[in-house]
Structure formats: structure tokens, C-alpha cells
């Protein structure tokens, strides 16, 4: 950006002294011609002198401009130097006293009482901000309805009120993160000016775990020092954020916070909730303390995308902490969100691929639940009918929890995830599901009266048949016979 004064350069005079040798000029001309004649302008550009020192700040208070320059030294035949002859940087002096006359006002006021516009009339001039080029000195004749442009404003004049740009040579430039005007230098994701994103790691993941009932679930720790944090999902669930002190920043204690900007961990967290049920959190960081991202589940979690950038030295501690909490390990820099094959939730009670408990099972035999009427009754009366493979089983005092991998959905009232828990209301469920087998299941959604639990229920003597092509067509047929 910002070629300020291109091509401004000096030629080194071939002879510095006043007296020239008559032959000397001829020789030089010959030399130049020879070079040109050979089609050889390949002498390249000239050479810059070192930069001069920075000038004093253009203003005496507040923000101003300081400039330094260099010259291009070149011999005949050499091209212009590449680059700029001048560099401008911001200088920041203590704030101006209240009531100080702004720089632009001063420049307009210089024309007060002087005849302008070719007549003897004089006016009082004040800045006018409505003209097209904000780096022209556009001044309004006070008490009149016209303005006049008195050429460019002086370098270092703010482009407009309250904007960060300054006028330089008639153009509005803003400072890069290196303080140079028009350099275009920007902070990288790691917060380094002009960096290449290489001093930090990008953590990006889709959180698909979380349990089968409503409540708060940990999604991820966002360590102190994280930048460019973002989380988003689309469901009736709510993202919740907890500060390092254990207090909620938003959506805590079962209360949903309004969308808006929240101050937390030394940064501003922007929270949005759209009508399309999309919810997002974002913060520029860097954060000054750990944050805990949670989700308040009300329905099955369709996936929560989150990402942030972490200084390299903080990555290992972050991993160690996640490991200590029993969370899955996250590899750095998976730049594309590759929806991982779902993993079993990390709840400590999960027993996967447990072999069926042998013999001595005191469970009574199950009632016979075959028949078309039974199938129809459960198909029509259920919230979900799906085909699933049993991956795990956990027997508890009052209930049995199956972990199933959903293969195909025939009917659902709300989204089903690939992995679900299905609960049966007894230690001796009927019908019994065997591990690693595939079934057609009809389940109900059960929400506890206080709203804290939301489960898939396989009722006693409900519908659960080993999957087969024949059963599949019977189920499809049942679908056509439900009362509307
Ligand atoms: C740093 O990463 C951001 C986001 O991925 C990208 O937009 C930007 O171009 C990257 N910067 C550099 C210098 O690679
Ligand atoms: C969630 O994480 C916090 C803090 O890291 C931890 O204290 C808490 O036990 C976790 N909760 C669950 C349900 O794992």
C-alpha cells in the first residue's frame, strides 16, 4: 500500500565541481550510449541512502505525524530505486488540553479576514466535512452557504473527526500495527505485527459428545492467552461461559442471558443468538484467565464448533490439563473441521463392549411382544423409530442404559445423534438387547418434570426387534397406518 512519492529521486551529478573537463561529458555520453546500445539497462536500480532521522511530531499535543526520508543515489543508466522516499509514522503526545483549537480549524482560520475568491469580501472560515476529499482543506464561510477548498490540508491532519486516519500528501492513510502510515502491516492471529501465524497453534474442533440428559456439559477449556476465540452451533441448546473464578459470564445457573457484549477475562465476548437458532460466541482475546466453555443441553447436541489460537508454549499445559480432566486429546492445527467419527462420551460410568454377564442372571423371562398390533402401537405412539447397533450396556439399580449407534432413522421428533443413550426402566429390561447386535427400536422422549433430564426411553415390553430386511419392510408399512 501507499506509494507516497514514487520516483522522487536524485541523480548523482556526474561531476561535482563547477569546472568540467570538456572530454569528460563526451566520455560519459559514450558510456551511456554503449550501455543502451547493448540493450543492457540491466544495471538495476540505484541505491538508497540510509534513512534520515525522524522529524519532530507534527502536532504539539495529541496524535501527530513524524516523517523521515532517504534519497536514491543512481548513476546514469541506473533505474529508480524501489520503495518509498518518505516514511510516516504516528506519534502520540499527551492529550490536548480541553478547548485547544483542532489542527484543521487552525488551518481554515488562517484565511479569516483575508480577501479570497477574487473579491475584497472577507469571511470567517470553519472546517467543512461534507466535501468529497477529506484531505482537502475544505472550509465553510461562517454565516454563508458555501465552502471553499484551499488545497490540501497539512500532513498529519486527521482525515475526519474521530477517525484514526491522517492525511499525508492529500491522501488519508491509517497506521499499520508497526505504527507506519500506509504500511498495511497487520497483527497475525498470534498477535505479532506482520507475523505469519507461526508462533501459535490453531485449535479447532467440533464437540459432538455430551450426554443424554439436560444440563451443563463441559465443551472445552479455553486457556489464558487464547486469541480469536469462536464457538457456534445451531440448536435449542445454549452455550455457557464460565470465568476462572467459577462464576458464569453468560447463560449460567439455568438462566439465559440476552445477546450482547460481555466483559470477561480481559476481553470482550460477543454473544449472538439468531432466529435460526444459531448461537455464536466470539472474542478477540488475548484472555487474561482461563475460561470454561460449556453447553446447556436441552436437546441432543448436533455439534458445537469451536476454535481459538493458543501461544505455542501454552499448548502442552493445555493438553495436560485436558488429559487430567479426562477429556479427549486434541491435535493442533487440524485446519479443516473434519467431523470426527463420533466417540463415546467420556463419562466415567460408560462400560463399552462389555461382555454379557454370564449365567446367574436372575431376570425373569420377557413377555411375548411379537405381532403386527404391537408393532403398530409402538410405531405410532413413539417419538423415535430407528435402526441401531448396540455398543454398550450399563446396568444400574433401577435402570439399564444402552449405548447405541444410530444407523437409520425412520421417524424422529427431534434430531438424533449418531451415538445415543437409550434407557430402559429396569435392571431387567424387556426386551433385552444384546451387545453388538442391530435392532429396530421405537423409543419415547422422556423429559423429567423439573426439566433436568431428557432421555430416550425404551418402554417395558416396548418394540425392539433384531433388524432384518423383512422387519424393515414391516416397519415401513406400519408408518402408513398411523392415525394422522
Ligand atoms: C493467519 O491466519 C488467518 C486466519 O486463518 C488468515 O486469514 C491470515 O491470512 C493468516 N496470515 C498469514 C500471514 O498467513
Ligand atoms: C468441567 O470442568 C471443570 C473445570 O475444568 C471441572 O471442575 C468439572 O468437574 C467438569 N465437569 C464435568 C461434568 O466434567
Amino acid at each position: 500500500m501507499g506509494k507516497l512519492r514514487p520516483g522522487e529521486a536524485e541523480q548523482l551529478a556526474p561531476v561535482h565541481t563547477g569546472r568540467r573537463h570538456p572530454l569528460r561529458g563526451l566520455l560519459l555520453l559514450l558510456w551511456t550510449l554503449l550501455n543502451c546500445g547493448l540493450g543492457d539497462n540491466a544495471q538495476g536500480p540505484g541505491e538508497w541512502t540510509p534513512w534520515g532521522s525522524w522529524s519532530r511530531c507534527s502536532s504539539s499535543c495529541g496524535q501527530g505525524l513524524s516523517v523521515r526520508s532517504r534519497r536514491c543515489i543512481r548513476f546514469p543508466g541506473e533505474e529508480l530505486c524501489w520503495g518509498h522516499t518518505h516514511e510516516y509514522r504516528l506519534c502520540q503526545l499527551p492529550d490536548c488540553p480541553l478547548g485547544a483549537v483542532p489542527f484543521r480549524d487552525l488551518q481554515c482560520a488562517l484565511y479569516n479576514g483575508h480577501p479570497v475568491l477574487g473579491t475584497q469580501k472577507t469571511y470567517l472560515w470553519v472546517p467543512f466535512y461534507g466535501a468529497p476529499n477529506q484531505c482537502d482543506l475544505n472550509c465553510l464561510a461562517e454565516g454563508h452557504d458555501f465552502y471553499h477548498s484551499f488545497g490540501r490540508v497539512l500532513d498529519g491532519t486527521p482525515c475526519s473527526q474521530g477517525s484514526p486516519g491522517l492525511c499525508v500528501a492529500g491522501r488519508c492513510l491509517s497506521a499499520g500495527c508497526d505504527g507506519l502510515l500506509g504500511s498495511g502491516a497487520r497483527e497475525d492471529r498470534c498477535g505479532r505485527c506482520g507475523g505469519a501465524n507461526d508462533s501459535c497453534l490453531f485449535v479447532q474442533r467440533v464437540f459432538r459428545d455430551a450426554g443424554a440428559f439436560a444440563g451443563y456439559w463441559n465443551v472445552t477449556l479455553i486457556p489464558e492467552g487464547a486469541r480469536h476465540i469462536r464457538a457456534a452451533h445451531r440448536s435449542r441448546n445454549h452455550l455457557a461461559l464460565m470465568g476462572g473464578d467459577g462464576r458464569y459470564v453468560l447463560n449460567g445457573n439455568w438462566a439465559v442471558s440476552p445477546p450482547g457484549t460481555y466483559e470477561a477475562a480481559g476481553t470482550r465476548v460477543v454473544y449472538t443468538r439468531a432466529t435460526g437458532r444459531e448461537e455464536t460466541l466470539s472474542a478477540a482475546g488475548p484472555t487474561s484467565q482461563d475460561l470454561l466453555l460449556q453447553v446447556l443441553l436441552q436437546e441432543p447436541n448436533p455439534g458445537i464448533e469451536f476454535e481459538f489460537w493458543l501461544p505455542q508454549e501454552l499448548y502442552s499445559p493445555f493438553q495436560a490439563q485436558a488429559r487430567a480432566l479426562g477429556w479427549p486429546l486434541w491435535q493442533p492445527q487440524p485446519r479443516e473441521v473434519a467431523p470426527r467419527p463420533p466417540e463415546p462420551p467420556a463419562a466415567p460410568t460408560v462400560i463399552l463392549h462389555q461382555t454379557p454377564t454370564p449365567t446367574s442372571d436372575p431376570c425373569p423371562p420377557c413377555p411375548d411382544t411379537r405381532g403386527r398390533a404391537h408393532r403398530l402401537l409402538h410405531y405410532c405412539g413413539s417419538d423415535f423409530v430407528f435402526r441401531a447397533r448396540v455398543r454398550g450396556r450399563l446396568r444400574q439399580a433401577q435402570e439399564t442404559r444402552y449405548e447405541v449407534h444410530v444407523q437409520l432413522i425412520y421417524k424422529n421428533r427431534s434430531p438424533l445423534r449418531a451415538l445415543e443413550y437409550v434407557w430402559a426402566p429396569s435392571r431387567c429390561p424387556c426386551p433385552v438387547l444384546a451387545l453388538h447386535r442391530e435392532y429396530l427400536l421405537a423409543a419415547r422422549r422422556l423429559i423429567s418434570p423439573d426439566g433436568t433430564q431428557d432421555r430416550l426411553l425404551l418402554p417395558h415390553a416396548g418394540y425392539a426387534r433384531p433388524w432384518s430386511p423383512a422387519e424393515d419392510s414391516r416397519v415401513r408399512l406400519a408408518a402408513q397406518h398411523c392415525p394422522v
Side-chain angles (χ1 to χ4, degrees):
M1 251 188 73
K3 224 188 173 188
L4 293 173
R5 295 189 186 167
E8 193 178 282
E10 297 173 11
Q11 287 219 6
L12 193 69
V15 182
H16 290 275
T17 54
R19 247 186 283 155
R20 297 167 131 210
H21 194 282
L23 267 181
R24 189 109 186 225
L26 194 65
L27 273 173
L28 259 172
L29 183 69
L30 257 175
W31 181 73
T32 313
L33 278 176
L34 259 175
N35 277 316
C36 295
L38 293 171
D40 173 23
N41 257 342
Q43 296 206 40
E47 256 185 53
W48 289 112
T49 61
W51 284 108
S53 48
W54 288 103
S55 72
R56 283 183 49 195
C57 200
S58 64
S59 61
S60 55
C61 61
Q63 208 168 57
L65 195 68
S66 153
V67 58
R68 66 177 183 176
S69 61
R70 58 182 177 177
R71 292 180 309 162
C72 180
I73 309 294
R74 58 190 187 118
F75 287 99
E78 280 185 339
E79 294 163 23
L80 294 175
C81 299
W82 296 357
H84 308 315
T85 54
H86 289 71
E87 252 181 8
Y88 300 84
R89 72 172 183 197
L90 276 187
C91 42
Q92 186 70 52
L93 296 171
D95 282 351
C96 297
L98 271 174
V101 182
F103 198 23
R104 194 180 281 261
D105 295 52
L106 267 179
Q107 294 172 60
C108 283
L110 284 178
Y111 295 92
N112 289 351
H114 291 289
V116 289
L117 315 177
T119 74
Q120 287 307 302
K121 288 184 107 174
T122 62
Y123 304 92
L124 293 179
W125 300 98
V126 292
F128 174 65
Y129 292 99
N133 188 351
Q134 50 192 1
C135 288
D136 282 347
L137 183 60
N138 304 304
C139 306
L140 188 75
E142 234 176 8
H144 299 267
D145 57 357
F146 65 91
Y147 74 94
H148 187 70
S149 290
F150 295 100
R152 290 173 178 174
V153 292
L154 293 174
D155 286 353
T157 306
C159 304
S160 63
Q161 287 159 313
S163 100
L166 295 182
C167 292
V168 173
R171 288 177 52 198
C172 181
L173 299 179
S174 45
C177 57
D178 53 4
L180 294 181
L181 279 126
S183 71
R186 302 240 301 250
E187 267 193 3
D188 70 359
R189 297 268 126 177
C190 314
R192 284 220 192 149
C193 187
N197 294 339
D198 50 2
S199 61
C200 58
L201 290 172
F202 185 43
V203 177
Q204 187 183 42
R205 192 172 166 243
V206 182
F207 175 82
R208 297 188 190 281
D209 311 342
F213 52 86
Y216 285 95
W217 293 81
N218 285 337
V219 173
T220 184
L221 183 77
I222 302 172
E224 171 187 346
R227 289 173 185 270
H228 301 284
I229 303 157
R230 212 185 65 85
H233 73 106
R234 191 184 285 270
S235 72
R236 280 178 44 237
N237 303 326
H238 294 295
L239 297 170
L241 197 62
M242 189 188 267
D245 55 3
R247 261 186 279 181
Y248 277 103
V249 179
L250 52 88
N251 290 345
N253 311 313
W254 301 86
V256 178
S257 316
T261 302
Y262 293 78
E263 301 280 338
T267 184
R268 298 161 76 97
V269 179
V270 179
Y271 170 52
T272 71
R273 198 165 54 229
T275 42
R277 306 201 304 177
E278 182 170 24
E279 218 185 24
T280 68
L281 279 186
S282 58
T287 50
S288 61
Q289 50 168 260
D290 290 353
L291 291 170
L292 186 62
L293 179 67
Q294 297 185 326
V295 59
L296 174 54
L297 275 192
Q298 329 227 38
E299 66 179 29
N301 166 28
I304 297 167
E305 294 173 20
F306 65 84
E307 62 182 47
F308 50 85
W309 294 76
L310 206 56
Q312 231 144 31
E313 63 276 14
L314 292 184
Y315 190 75
S316 297
F318 167 58
Q319 258 193 331
Q321 210 164 351
R323 201 182 296 130
L325 286 168
W327 294 350
L329 287 189
W330 304 318
Q331 297 307 310
Q333 317 230 25
R335 286 188 180 262
E336 265 91 37
V337 181
R340 300 171 320 130
E343 283 169 13
T349 46
V350 178
I351 300 171
L352 285 178
H353 308 300
Q354 187 192 32
T355 41
T357 355
T359 59
S360 74
D361 195 338
C363 289
C366 284
D368 187 357
T369 55
R370 286 173 295 180
R372 179 170 177 270
H374 179 263
R375 182 184 306 111
L376 208 59
L377 177 75
H378 283 279
Y379 189 97
C380 302
S382 297
D383 299 311
F384 305 92
V385 178
F386 54 93
R387 171 179 162 192
R389 178 182 291 276
V390 179
R391 293 174 41 121
R393 182 173 66 183
L394 179 68
R395 283 189 183 188
Q396 291 166 341
Q398 303 295 327
E399 53 194 1
T400 302
R401 188 187 72 189
Y402 294 106
E403 191 195 348
V404 302
H405 188 195
V406 177
Q407 317 269 329
L408 182 68
I409 299 171
Y410 296 82
K411 173 182 177 183
N412 62 331
R413 288 257 164 92
S414 54
L416 279 179
R417 297 169 303 166
L419 281 186
E420 287 283 4
Y421 285 145
V422 175
W423 303 78
S426 161
R427 206 183 169 277
C428 291
C430 279
V432 181
L433 306 188
L435 279 169
H436 313 307
R437 296 277 306 273
E438 252 180 74
Y439 291 91
L440 283 167
L441 298 172
R444 295 209 183 132
R445 185 161 177 210
L446 188 72
I447 301 176
S448 65
D450 59 358
T452 56
Q453 286 194 344
D454 182 350
R455 294 173 158 189
L456 292 184
L457 177 76
L458 180 62
H460 181 74
Y463 172 84
R465 298 280 168 79
W467 185 86
S468 70
E471 192 62 27
D472 172 272
S473 17
R474 284 181 212 127
V475 160
R476 288 176 194 276
L477 206 63
Q480 299 165 12
H481 291 93
C482 290
V484 185

